[in-house]
Amino acid sequence: MPQELVGDTSDKCYDVVGVGFGPANLALAIAIAEHNAQPDATPVRGLFLERQRRFGWHRGMLIDDATMQVSFLKDLVTLRNPTSDFSFLAYLHSSDRLIDFINQKSLFPLRVEFHDYLEWAAARFTDEVRYGHEVTTVEPVRTGGTMEYFDVTTRGSDGSTTTVRTRNVVFGMGLTPYLPQGAALSERVWHNRDLLGRVEQVRRNASYPPPVRFAVVGAGQSAAEVTKYLHDTFPHAEVCGVFSRYGYSPSDDSPFANRVFDPAAVDQFYVAPPEVKQLIMDYHANTNYSVVDTDLIEELYRRVYQEKVVGTRRLRLFNVSRVVETVETAEGVRATVESLTTREKTVLDCDVLVYATGYRPADPLALLGDLAAQCERDEAGRPAVERDYRIRTEPELVGGLFLQGNTEHSHGISSSLLSTTAVRAGQILDSIVAEVPAQLAVSAR
C-alpha cells in the first residue's frame, strides 16, 4: 500500500534510483555524471543498487578467445558523446594499448577486454553504487492525491534491509537464463551463464574422474562457443551438440541489416503499427537470435571433418534433434535425443549437460506489488512504454518508472543489446532532468 509522505523530503530524496548496475545502468550513471559536470546544470542525484557483490557482466562466458559481436564504438557513451572520457578508446589510452588495438585492425575487441573496460568505468562510481543490495520491493509514497515518490527497499548480503526514497526508478535488471520446460539446473546440468565457474569446479574436484562426454543444447552463438570451448578444454572428452536446426545458422551482420540496430530504427519501430513491428522482428531475427558468427561455424565444421578423416570422432552434432528426456544418475546425466525427422532416439550418457538456450528479460513489475496495477499493459500483457522508456501509468502515479530492457515489443530488437545503450541512457536522463523540481536544484547546490 502507498506510504503517506510526512514533512519535506527534498533534501533526502534521490532523483533516480537504478535497480541493477550492469551496462545499461552504468551508461546512465555516466550520463548523470557528465550532466552534473556541466556549468549551471540542474544537479541530478542518483543511486544504483546491485545484488552482486561486485561489478560483473556474463562472467561465466568470458572465454579467453571469444570476441564481441558489436563494434567497440557502441560502448557505454560514444554514440551519445563521442568526446567522453568514459569511452572504450579512453580506456585503451589509459591502459596504454590504444596503438596496439588499432594495429590489429578490428572493430571487435575480446570479450574479456570489453568486460575490463566495463569494470574500469564502473570503478569510478563507488560512491553512487551499493553492491550486495538486492531490491525486494518498490512502493509508492502518496503526496496528497498523487504518488510522486517511491520507497525502494533492499536486502543486503548480511540480511539487513535498507530503504531509500526516489522520484524515479530505472530498472536495468538484465536477463535471466531460460531453460526448456521441465529442465532443472544441478551439479551435472548447467546453463552456459555459469560455464567457466562450473568448469573450474570440475577441474578442482579430484573425487570425479575426468569427464568423457558433454552435451550442449542450443544453436546460437553461446552454444557454439561452449561447444568449441569444451572441445578445446577437455581434449579426451566427447562433445555432443544438440539443436533443432539443420545446422548452425550464420548471423546477418551485413551493413544494411545492421541498420536495424541504429538509434533511428528505434524511432521508426516505436511508431510502426503492430503488424509492421512483427514483420521487422521476423525479417531481422537472424541478426541476433539463434545465429552464430560465420568464422566459428566454419571452425566447428573443420573440426568435424578433420575428425572424420582421422577416424577419431570427439565432436558430434545431432542436428534436427531435441532432448526429450534427462535422468540424473550417480555417474552423470542420461540424455535421450530424438531426431525430429525420423523419431530415432539416441541415449547419451553424459558427465555434464549444458543448456545454452538463451535468456528472457527479467520482469521488473514483479517488484512492484500492488503498484503494478497502476501500470498499463498492452493487449499481450506487456508493459505499455512511452518513447522515453517510461512505463505508462495511471494519472495519480506521477513518479517515473523507466525500463532498460524488456522493451523489445515497443522499441525493437536492440532493446536488450549494447547497440543503443548510450543513446537510451541519455534519453531517459533528459526525461528525468525535465522534471527535476527547482527547489531540489537549490538544496543540492
Side-chain angles (χ1 to χ4, degrees):
M1 296 297 292
Q3 302 294 316
E4 189 71 28
L5 179 64
V6 179
D8 180 23
T9 190
S10 61
D11 63 339
K12 305 172 185 176
C13 179
Y14 290 97
D15 294 305
V16 56
V17 165
V19 179
F21 197 62
N25 272 344
L26 173 53
L28 179 60
I30 294 171
I32 291 172
E34 294 185 338
H35 165 82
N36 288 344
Q38 296 176 12
D40 300 321
T42 301
V44 173
R45 297 181 64 200
L47 178 70
F48 297 88
L49 305 168
E50 169 56 51
R51 66 180 179 178
Q52 296 185 101
R53 296 194 179 190
R54 61 185 178 121
F55 183 88
W57 182 61
H58 297 301
R59 285 186 177 274
M61 285 294 291
L62 295 181
I63 298 170
D64 285 349
D65 61 351
T67 58
M68 298 290 292
Q69 278 74 59
V70 64
S71 166
F72 72 88
L73 293 172
K74 294 183 177 181
D75 57 17
L76 298 169
V77 65
T78 296
L79 294 187
R80 178 182 58 81
N81 177 14
T83 64
S84 173
D85 65 354
F86 284 92
S87 69
F88 183 77
L89 289 179
Y91 154 78
L92 288 174
H93 185 266
S94 72
S95 304
D96 196 26
R97 290 202 308 274
L98 179 57
I99 300 300
D100 295 329
F101 183 86
I102 292 171
N103 286 341
Q104 71 172 351
K105 300 180 181 179
S106 175
L107 291 172
F108 307 104
L110 290 168
R111 195 175 297 154
V112 291
E113 182 176 34
F114 199 82
H115 189 275
D116 192 57
Y117 156 65
L118 296 176
E119 288 187 294
W120 169 83
R124 299 163 75 173
F125 293 97
T126 55
D127 293 337
E128 292 84 3
V129 185
R130 296 180 185 175
Y131 291 103
H133 282 67
E134 181 177 6
V135 174
T136 56
T137 60
V138 177
E139 297 182 323
V141 179
R142 188 174 294 279
T143 308
T146 63
M147 289 176 281
E148 182 180 351
Y149 305 95
F150 303 99
D151 281 345
V152 181
T153 300
T154 66
R155 179 175 56 246
S157 54
D158 60 357
S160 62
T161 60
T162 304
T163 300
V164 295
R165 183 159 292 178
T166 181
R167 299 176 187 275
N168 300 279
V169 180
V170 179
F171 295 96
M173 301 166 60
L175 303 170
T176 57
Y178 171 77
L179 295 172
Q181 186 175 3
L185 301 181
S186 69
E187 289 297 312
R188 298 285 191 168
V189 179
W190 309 343
H191 189 274
N192 68 275
R193 173 195 64 176
D194 306 313
L195 176 70
L196 296 186
R198 290 292 199 173
V199 166
E200 187 59 29
Q201 290 175 4
V202 169
R203 285 171 163 169
R204 292 198 308 260
N205 195 335
S207 63
Y208 286 148
V212 295
R213 178 181 286 152
F214 293 90
V216 181
V217 180
Q221 180 73 23
S222 293
E225 288 180 358
V226 170
T227 299
K228 176 180 178 296
Y229 173 79
L230 294 174
H231 192 259
D232 289 338
T233 304
F234 298 93
H236 302 292
E238 181 179 279
V239 181
C240 302
V242 183
F243 43 84
S244 57
R245 296 185 175 219
Y246 202 84
Y248 295 112
S249 299
S251 58
D252 184 356
D253 60 353
S254 58
F256 288 115
N258 268 340
R259 286 180 171 177
V260 76
F261 302 115
D262 291 353
V266 178
D267 295 322
Q268 297 163 358
F269 189 93
Y270 187 80
V271 300
E275 63 273 16
V276 175
K277 284 184 167 72
Q278 190 59 54
L279 279 175
I280 293 172
M281 296 299 295
D282 291 343
Y283 285 150
H284 295 289
N286 65 343
T287 61
N288 185 57
Y289 299 108
S290 297
V291 289
V292 183
D293 285 347
T294 301
D295 289 347
L296 181 53
I297 294 175
E298 292 175 349
E299 172 61 22
L300 291 175
Y301 188 90
R302 184 193 64 79
R303 295 185 185 199
V304 170
Y305 183 76
Q306 181 183 41
E307 290 179 358
K308 188 174 184 179
V309 170
V310 300
T312 303
R313 306 287 294 273
R314 283 204 310 117
L315 180 55
R316 300 172 63 192
L317 300 182
F318 292 81
N319 64 345
V320 201
S321 300
R322 63 181 176 180
V323 174
V324 294
E325 183 181 34
T326 59
V327 178
E328 292 201 48
T329 68
E331 293 76 28
V333 181
R334 176 163 291 173
T336 301
V337 177
E338 181 183 64
S339 167
L340 297 176
T341 54
T342 67
R343 301 301 179 187
E344 180 183 356
K345 294 182 178 179
T346 303
V347 176
L348 300 174
D349 286 312
C350 309
D351 295 276
V352 171
L353 175 68
V354 184
Y355 284 106
T357 45
Y359 297 83
R360 296 293 184 271
D363 181 12
L365 301 190
L367 296 174
L368 300 182
D370 294 339
L371 178 58
Q374 300 280 336
C375 301
E376 297 183 20
R377 296 177 181 266
D378 65 12
E379 63 282 354
R382 301 165 300 196
V385 189
E386 303 286 0
R387 176 60 188 86
D388 63 355
Y389 300 94
R390 179 172 179 153
I391 299 175
R392 194 176 302 144
T393 61
E394 297 297 323
E396 66 174 345
L397 183 59
V398 297
L401 300 170
F402 295 84
L403 296 183
Q404 298 231 57
N406 207 12
T407 58
E408 192 175 80
H409 61 286
S410 57
H411 290 68
I413 199 168
S414 63
S415 292
S416 61
L417 308 174
L418 285 170
S419 297
T420 57
T421 295
V423 174
R424 180 179 61 207
Q427 292 169 343
I428 291 174
L429 178 60
D430 287 345
S431 183
I432 291 171
V433 168
E435 299 185 8
V436 173
Q439 65 267 25
L440 182 61
V442 173
S443 66
R445 286 178 174 169

